[in-house]
């Protein structure tokens, strides 16, 4: 009898392990989607902040030069002097290159814009126009 008790006291039974694994799986099923939703939302918030910073840099560029950069010059003109621009007093960003959006894609820039002086936006996680949820476009003209 003592030998049976010693064998049982050494470890967990298979059923006990399965119950613990089932509980952990249920917790992961409940918590996982919420964590992913927060991660997606934080990338969208980061993109909005980056757009605000880029827009402020564009305004500084305009104050110095007198106009916004053309679509062809693009956002690169915030960090590198365009060849034909004598009034440029940049760089207008702290970094030596234009940042990418939180999903690793280039920001889109159009001048003149359809929604304001210029249009500045990110196409979101799917890098295509439109979308919802994680794939939402983030724009400088609001949403």
């Amino acid at each position: 009898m003592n030998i049976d008790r010693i064998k049982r006291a050494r470890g967990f039974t298979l059923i006990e392990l399965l119950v613990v694994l089932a509980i952990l799986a249920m917790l992961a099923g409940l918590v996982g989607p919420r964590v992913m939703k927060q991660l997606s939302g934080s990338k969208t918030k980061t993109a909005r902040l980056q757009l605000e910073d880029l827009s402020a840099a564009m305004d500084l560029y305009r104050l110095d030069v007198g106009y916004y950069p053309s679509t062809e010059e693009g956002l690169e003109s915030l960090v590198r002097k365009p060849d034909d621009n004598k009034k440029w007093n940049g760089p207008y960003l702290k970094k030596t290159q234009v940042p990418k959006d939180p999903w690793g894609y280039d920001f889109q820039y159009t001048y003149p814009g359809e929604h304001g002086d210029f249009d500045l936006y990110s196409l979101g996680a799917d890098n295509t126009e439109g979308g919802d949820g994680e794939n939402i476009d983030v724009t400088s003209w609001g949403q």
Side-chain angles (χ1 to χ4, degrees):
M1 282 280 194
N2 284 340
I3 294 174
D4 288 333
R5 284 187 196 163
I6 292 172
K7 285 183 180 178
R8 283 189 202 180
R10 277 196 231 161
F12 298 105
T13 65
L14 180 60
I15 291 177
E16 290 171 329
L17 289 174
L18 289 175
V19 168
V20 169
L21 286 174
I23 291 170
L24 289 175
M26 286 189 328
L27 285 173
L30 292 172
V31 173
R34 291 185 184 192
V35 169
M36 294 307 289
K37 183 178 178 185
Q38 287 297 323
L39 179 62
S40 147
S42 64
K43 283 189 176 187
T44 302
K45 289 176 187 173
T46 300
R48 283 199 174 103
L49 289 172
Q50 285 179 306
L51 285 176
E52 287 177 18
D53 288 345
L54 288 171
S55 293
M58 297 294 285
D59 290 337
L60 288 173
Y61 180 97
R62 186 176 141 244
L63 283 173
D64 284 347
V65 177
Y67 53 87
Y68 291 110
S70 68
T71 301
E72 292 77 29
E73 291 172 332
L75 298 175
E76 283 296 315
S77 61
L78 296 176
V79 291
R80 285 178 194 71
K81 181 179 179 181
D83 293 334
D84 61 344
N85 199 322
K86 293 179 174 51
K87 295 180 182 178
W88 191 85
N89 194 24
Y92 298 93
L93 297 174
K94 290 181 183 179
K95 299 194 177 194
T96 59
Q97 60 188 35
V98 177
K100 298 207 178 277
D101 70 12
W103 299 278
Y105 301 111
D106 291 329
F107 283 100
Q108 306 297 310
Y109 170 73
T110 308
Y111 176 78
E114 293 179 23
H115 305 280
D117 291 332
F118 59 86
D119 290 350
L120 184 58
Y121 56 99
S122 164
L123 295 174
D126 61 354
N127 201 33
T128 58
E129 289 196 30
D132 57 1
E134 181 179 316
N135 298 323
I136 191 169
D137 294 352
V138 183
T139 64
S140 61
W141 57 90
Q143 271 189 357

